[in-house]
Amino acid sequence: MDESRQSPTGTGVVLRKLMPPPALCGFLLLLALVFAASYAVGAAAGPVAPGMHGTSDSKGGGTGGAGGSGDMGDMDMHGGGH
């Protein structure tokens, strides 16, 4: 009876301890498949706005929507309470 309670030794046990759980491997595989599918769909759909260009140009003053133009509109950045 004591022999059955002893933990097995050998390279198989070492490999099992180093391997991540099967559920984690499955989740990572599913995640990679979802990203690959979304990339394929995005590449097939093409650009969202064909007239829109990136912010990187040779002048350094991009015209993109998220460019650092400094225009904050009517936002009160000084923390004055109303």
Side-chain angles (χ1 to χ4, degrees), residues 5 8 13 29 31 40 44-45 49 54 59 65 82:
R5 292 184 179 223
V13 174
L29 179 65
L31 190 66
K59 298 176 188 174
H82 291 278

Side-chain angles (χ1 to χ4, degrees), residues 16 19-29:
R16 272 185 258 146
M19 292 292 295
L24 179 63
C25 293
F27 173 73
L28 292 176
L29 179 65

